[in-house]
Amino acid sequence: MKSKDRDSKPLYHPDKSSRVVSTCILFIVLCGFSFYLGGIFCSEKDKITVKDTASPVQSTSNAVSAPLQIKSDTFTECPSDYQDYTPCTDPRRWKKYGANRLSFMERHCPPIFERKECLVPPPDGYKSPIKWPMSRDQCWYRNVPYDWINKQKSNQHWLKKEGEKFLFPGGGTMFPNGVSEYVDLMQKLIPEMKDGTVRTAIDTGCGVASWGGDLLDRGILTVSLAPRDNHEAQVQFALERGIPAILGIISTQRLPFPSSSFDMAHCSRCLIPWTEFGGIYLLEIQRILRPGGFWVLSGPPVNYENRWRGWDTTAEAQKSDYDKLQDLLTSMCFKLYNKKDDIAVWQKSTDGNCYNKLAKPDAYPPKCDDSTEPDAAWYTPLRSCVVAPNEKAKQLKLKSLPKWPQRLHIAPERISSVHGGNANTFKHDDSKWKSRVKHYKGLLPALGSDKIRNVMDMNTAFGGFAAALINDPLWVMNVVSSYAPNSLPVVYDRGLIGSYHDWCEAFSTYPRTYDLLHLDGLFTAESHRCDMKYVLLEMDRILRPNGYAIIRESSYFIDAISSIAKGMRWSCRKEDTEYSVEKEKVLICQKKLWYSSKSSS
C-alpha cells in the first residue's frame, strides 16, 4: 500500500482533466448565483400572475435592455376593517411592544411574511375630497368617519359634525377664540414670521392641524406631527383638509428629519413631558431646529400664574415646572425671546461659545461627540446630548438664509456636503425640473388644478419637482431615501419640507391621503432591495381614489409596473419623456374609485 500511495498523484495536484471539470462546475455555480441575484429585487414575483399584460416596449436602441416581464392577477380586497390600515403603526400589533415612553406608538413594521397583499378599501359612502381651499374648513364625514374625536373635543371647537360634513372652526385647547387670533399674537411676539425669515415649521401634537393650516396663508409651510392612535385619526383629518402632516411621535427614536431644518417648532398643550428623561424630547427639538430658530410653547406651565386652577394642580407645582423648563432650555443654549399671555417663545442660540462650553466634563446635558451624526434620523435612537451647529456652515443660521421666496432658487450652502453637489448641479437640477413639470402638465392637465392638492415626490434629490410647482395650489412632501445621498438638508434650506424614508417599508401616513405620487427612477435605484410589488401596493394604499401617479422610469421596468398597476385597478398609459428617448418612459396612472364588495351600503 505504501508503494501504491507513493506512486499515486496527490489530491492537491489535480491532473488537467480534473482542473477542466472543476472550472466548469465553478462557472455553472457562478452563473446560477448571478441569475439568482438578478431576480432578487422581486422575491415573490412568481406568485403574481397578471392575466392581461401590457405589450412590451419596443426598443430602437441597442443600449436598452429587454423589458422586464411580470405576470400578474387582480389583487384581492383587504377586509373592511382595514380602511384606516397603517402597517408600521398598527394598533393591532402594539401589545407586542413595550410601553416605556410610549415606544409602542413608534414605527414597528410587520415582517415580510405578515405583509398584506391586498387593496385597502375606502369607507362606505366615500366621496372625492372637497377641493382646496374649501377643504381647510370642511370635509366629508364618511371619508374620515370618526365620531370619537368629535365627542371628546367638542368643547374645544376642533371640529363639529353637521349633516354629511365635519366643519373645522379653527379652535383648540389654547386658542378658544380661533387659531387666527392665536397666530396674530404669535406674530407680534415673532416679527420674523411676517417678513419671510420664518418659512418652515413643525407642530408636535398637532390635533387636526389648524395651526399649520392657518400658517399656509402667511407663507409658512408646516409639518404637522401626531402619533397614530385607536380613535382620533388626527393626521388623517389634517391630510383630508389638505394640510401637510405625517404620523410620528417623539419617544425613543429620532424624528425622520435632518438637523437644523425647521425655522420654528410649536407645541400647543401637546402633553409632551419636556423636562423628563433628562430633557431628551427637547433635545430632539434642539437637533432639528435651525440656529436662530424659534421654539413656541403654549399651555402648561406657561402663564401658570393665571391658568393653574384649570390644570388640576397648584401654582407652586407649575412654577417649579416652569423653572425646570427654563433652566433646561438655558443649558441647551436657548434664550427666552418673548412672552405674553399663554405663549412663550425661546430662540436657539447661534453663539458657538455656548456650545463649546457644553464640551466640558461637568456640562449637562453634554455636547454630542464627533461620532454622533447630526443628520442620522432613520431608526436612530434619541441621544441625551446637544447637537452643536456646524461651525463651518456660515449660512446655516436663520438670519443668514435668504428670505422666502428668494431662498427657493438659491443654491444652499449645504449642497456641497452632497456627493457631486455644487451651485452648478443645483442650477441644472432647477432648470431640468422646470422643463419636466411643463411636460408633465401637458400629459396630465389635472396637475396645477384644484384636482390635486396633496403631492408626494417619492425620491427627490434637491426638491426640484416641488420647486417647479410652487405657484400651484398644492404642497409637496419631498422624500429622500434613507439609502440615498443625504440631500434632505438642501430641501429644507430651500424652504420646502420632506422626510427620510425607506420604500421597502410603509410610509407614516393613513390610507387615501395623497392626490398625486411622483417618482423618478425609484425602481432603478431601489429594486435590488425592495420588492416592486410591495412598493406599488403601498402607493395604492396612500393614494386617494381617482388620484394620480407619475412614474418616470427606465423602459426596462415600465411594462412590469403597468402590469402590476392593472392588477391594482389602476388605468395607466405610457408616454415619452420630454426628450423622447427610448431608454426612459413616463407612466401616467389613475387609481379607480371602487367600493368593497362587503360594503354595508
Side-chain angles (χ1 to χ4, degrees):
M1 287 294 295
K2 288 182 181 180
S3 177
K4 187 173 182 181
D5 290 341
R6 201 179 297 119
D7 293 339
S8 63
K9 295 182 178 179
L11 292 176
Y12 47 84
H13 287 154
D15 59 20
K16 185 175 181 181
S17 60
S18 298
R19 287 197 300 269
V20 171
V21 172
S22 299
T23 301
C24 292
I25 292 173
L26 179 61
F27 179 79
I28 293 171
V29 169
L30 288 174
C31 287
F33 187 61
S34 299
F35 180 81
Y36 168 75
L37 287 178
I40 204 169
F41 81 95
C42 188
S43 58
E44 297 184 16
K45 63 185 179 184
D46 292 336
K47 292 185 179 180
I48 317 173
T49 53
V50 171
K51 295 178 180 176
D52 190 4
T53 61
S55 58
V57 178
Q58 297 300 318
S59 173
T60 59
S61 170
N62 293 331
V64 179
S65 302
L68 175 68
Q69 297 295 304
I70 289 183
K71 295 183 178 181
S72 136
D73 201 353
T74 303
F75 292 95
T76 60
E77 300 171 10
C78 296
S80 58
D81 61 348
Y82 275 74
Q83 67 184 31
D84 64 348
Y85 181 48
T86 54
C88 295
T89 50
D90 187 358
R92 298 174 180 87
R93 306 178 71 245
W94 282 354
K95 62 183 179 181
K96 296 182 179 182
Y97 307 104
N100 178 46
R101 288 162 47 185
L102 301 179
S103 60
F104 63 90
M105 285 186 170
E106 291 182 309
R107 289 180 59 86
H108 301 286
C109 297
I112 191 168
F113 57 84
E114 290 184 15
R115 288 182 178 179
K116 302 297 178 185
E117 297 184 21
C118 54
L119 307 179
V120 175
D124 293 350
Y126 179 89
K127 298 181 181 181
S128 294
I130 294 171
K131 303 294 189 293
W132 181 267
M134 290 180 61
S135 63
R136 177 163 43 191
D137 302 320
Q138 56 186 274
C139 75
W140 297 114
Y141 164 70
R142 293 308 314 174
N143 288 12
V144 196
Y146 304 112
D147 280 325
W148 187 90
I149 190 172
N150 179 43
K151 295 173 183 176
Q152 289 293 116
K153 302 296 183 180
S154 59
N155 64 325
Q156 297 172 16
H157 308 291
W158 282 20
L159 73 168
K160 61 179 179 179
K161 186 174 181 294
E162 287 190 2
E164 295 184 346
K165 294 180 179 178
F166 275 129
L167 305 183
F168 301 92
T173 309
M174 298 310 300
F175 32 95
N177 297 324
V179 67
S180 291
E181 181 180 302
Y182 175 81
V183 177
D184 287 343
L185 174 57
M186 194 177 297
Q187 283 189 332
K188 291 178 181 178
L189 301 178
I190 312 173
E192 292 86 348
M193 290 176 64
K194 296 185 287 187
D195 66 359
T197 301
V198 172
R199 165 60 181 173
T200 58
I202 182 169
D203 188 15
T204 53
C206 65
V208 293
S210 292
W211 186 75
D214 184 85
L215 287 175
L216 289 170
D217 283 341
R218 305 176 193 242
I220 298 175
L221 191 58
T222 303
V223 176
S224 295
L225 181 80
R228 169 68 204 247
D229 49 48
N230 276 319
H231 307 287
E232 296 181 19
Q234 300 171 66
V235 164
Q236 193 166 23
F237 275 112
L239 289 159
E240 187 69 19
R241 299 175 68 184
I243 301 171
I246 63 171
L247 287 167
I249 184 173
I250 308 179
S251 177
T252 66
Q253 305 285 331
R254 283 180 170 182
L255 296 175
F257 313 117
S259 63
S260 301
S261 296
F262 294 97
D263 305 331
M264 180 166 61
H266 173 255
C267 164
S268 174
R269 201 172 186 182
C270 58
L271 303 181
I272 297 174
W274 296 112
T275 59
E276 294 183 17
F277 308 109
I280 199 165
Y281 304 136
L282 199 50
L283 283 165
E284 177 63 356
I285 294 298
Q286 186 273 338
R287 182 186 71 86
I288 64 176
L289 194 62
R290 188 180 300 281
F294 302 98
W295 185 59
V296 184
L297 177 66
S298 64
V302 176
N303 199 16
Y304 67 87
E305 301 93 339
N306 301 308
R307 292 286 191 180
W308 66 269
R309 291 179 182 84
W311 294 339
D312 193 26
T313 183
T314 64
E316 292 76 17
Q318 285 299 299
K319 182 182 185 306
S320 176
D321 288 347
Y322 183 82
D323 290 343
K324 287 179 183 177
L325 181 63
Q326 179 63 52
D327 290 344
L328 178 61
L329 285 161
T330 301
S331 70
M332 293 180 183
C333 298
F334 280 80
K335 65 178 180 179
L336 185 63
Y337 186 77
N338 220 333
K339 181 182 175 185
K340 185 175 177 60
D341 297 336
D342 294 326
I343 301 175
V345 182
W346 286 267
Q347 186 176 35
K348 180 177 174 178
S349 178
T350 60
D351 183 6
N353 292 327
C354 179
Y355 298 102
N356 290 334
K357 291 178 182 178
L358 299 179
K360 295 180 179 179
D362 59 344
Y364 185 82
K367 180 181 177 181
C368 293
D369 59 37
D370 293 339
S371 66
T372 304
E373 169 53 51
D375 292 344
W378 187 248
Y379 293 118
T380 302
L382 292 180
R383 291 179 169 86
S384 300
C385 58
V386 176
V387 174
N390 184 353
E391 294 181 0
K392 296 180 181 179
K394 303 301 181 184
Q395 297 178 14
L396 196 60
K397 303 171 185 177
L398 183 58
K399 286 291 182 72
S400 300
L401 278 176
K403 294 182 179 180
W404 180 260
Q406 288 77 21
R407 64 195 275 191
L408 180 65
H409 297 295
I410 296 176
E413 183 180 25
R414 286 197 279 184
I415 195 171
S416 61
S417 63
V418 182
H419 180 69
N422 54 50
N424 288 332
T425 56
F426 178 86
K427 183 178 180 180
H428 173 74
D429 185 80
D430 211 28
S431 175
K432 174 183 73 176
W433 281 106
K434 287 177 183 177
S435 175
R436 288 183 173 188
V437 166
K438 181 179 179 181
H439 181 66
Y440 289 164
K441 287 183 174 180
L443 301 178
L444 183 61
L447 183 58
S449 74
D450 64 359
K451 293 182 179 179
I452 293 176
R453 172 63 186 171
N454 302 351
V455 179
M456 179 185 287
D457 192 1
M458 294 175 62
N459 60 325
T460 190
F462 303 134
F465 175 72
L469 292 166
I470 200 64
N471 294 320
D472 293 327
L474 54 79
W475 59 271
V476 180
M477 179 63 70
N478 294 280
V479 180
V480 171
S481 170
S482 57
Y483 283 80
N486 180 26
S487 60
L488 196 53
V490 175
V491 171
Y492 274 94
D493 289 349
R494 301 185 72 175
L496 304 171
I497 57 173
S499 172
Y500 295 120
H501 185 64
D502 177 0
W503 282 112
C504 296
E505 301 178 359
F507 194 77
S508 296
T509 191
Y510 281 88
R512 303 173 304 281
T513 46
Y514 283 87
D515 299 302
L516 172 68
L517 302 176
H518 170 261
L519 62 86
D520 174 25
L522 176 65
F523 295 111
T524 298
E526 302 280 24
S527 63
H528 66 290
R529 297 191 311 107
C530 308
D531 189 320
M532 180 188 294
K533 172 183 63 176
Y534 288 119
V535 175
L536 286 164
L537 282 170
E538 174 61 5
M539 291 171 65
D540 180 81
R541 185 186 72 87
I542 67 179
L543 191 61
R544 285 172 168 173
N546 294 322
Y548 301 93
I550 300 177
I551 302 173
R552 187 185 188 101
E553 262 298 348
S554 160
S555 297
Y556 177 75
F557 289 105
I558 283 291
D559 290 320
I561 295 169
S562 182
S563 296
I564 298 175
K566 189 168 187 176
M568 300 190 309
R569 312 183 191 187
W570 290 15
S571 59
C572 298
R573 70 177 194 274
K574 183 167 56 180
E575 301 282 358
D576 285 336
T577 67
E578 63 279 7
Y579 309 118
S580 299
V581 294
E582 284 301 313
K583 65 180 181 180
E584 186 180 48
K585 295 294 179 181
V586 176
L587 207 60
I588 305 293
C589 299
Q590 185 173 26
K591 176 181 174 178
K592 296 177 182 178
L593 171 60
W594 55 271
Y595 296 97
S596 173
S597 59
K598 305 175 183 64
S599 175
S600 59
S601 61

